[in-house]
Amino acid sequence: LIMGYVVIHRFADTQDVTETKNGSIPYIYEIGDEFPRAGKRVNKGRIEDLAGSKNKPGFPLIEYTEECNTKTVKGKRTK
């Protein structure tokens, strides 16, 4: 059973960046991606910000899911 968060709106994560000689490049999360991506840890406050509306876009970007070997995209199961 996979429990965690899934991306429901595409966003650039300004707290997950790659440094280059030209500056920082934020990681882009696409709809259906697991959040956080493998190897990354985030605190409870960050989860609450992204799952709620108190963030820059003003609406939830991720949602909690309890899916088994599937991804949830805007409430619909896909394989």
Side-chain angles (χ1 to χ4, degrees), residues 6-8 31-32 63 65 67 70-79:
V6 66
V7 176
I8 58 173
I31 294 173
E63 70 182 8
T65 185
E67 297 294 321
T70 62
K71 290 185 177 180
T72 301
V73 179
K74 292 190 179 179
K76 297 180 182 176
R77 287 176 31 164
T78 61
K79 292 197 179 210

Side-chain angles (χ1 to χ4, degrees), residues 5-76:
Y5 291 87
V6 66
V7 176
I8 58 173
H9 289 283
R10 184 178 192 264
F11 71 99
D13 190 350
T14 58
Q15 293 186 13
D16 181 358
V17 297
T18 300
E19 297 297 331
T20 70
K21 64 181 180 177
N22 296 324
S24 300
I25 300 172
Y27 184 79
I28 304 295
Y29 280 95
E30 301 290 345
I31 294 173
D33 287 351
E34 290 179 30
F35 182 86
R37 65 187 172 123
K40 295 292 178 179
R41 293 181 148 238
V42 296
N43 63 36
K44 184 178 177 181
R46 181 70 172 150
I47 295 287
E48 290 171 353
D49 287 346
L50 296 175
S53 58
K54 293 182 180 179
N55 53 43
K56 191 173 181 178
F59 51 82
L61 301 172
I62 63 174
E63 70 182 8
Y64 186 75
T65 185
E66 292 183 12
E67 297 294 321
C68 183
N69 299 322
T70 62
K71 290 185 177 180
T72 301
V73 179
K74 292 190 179 179
K76 297 180 182 176

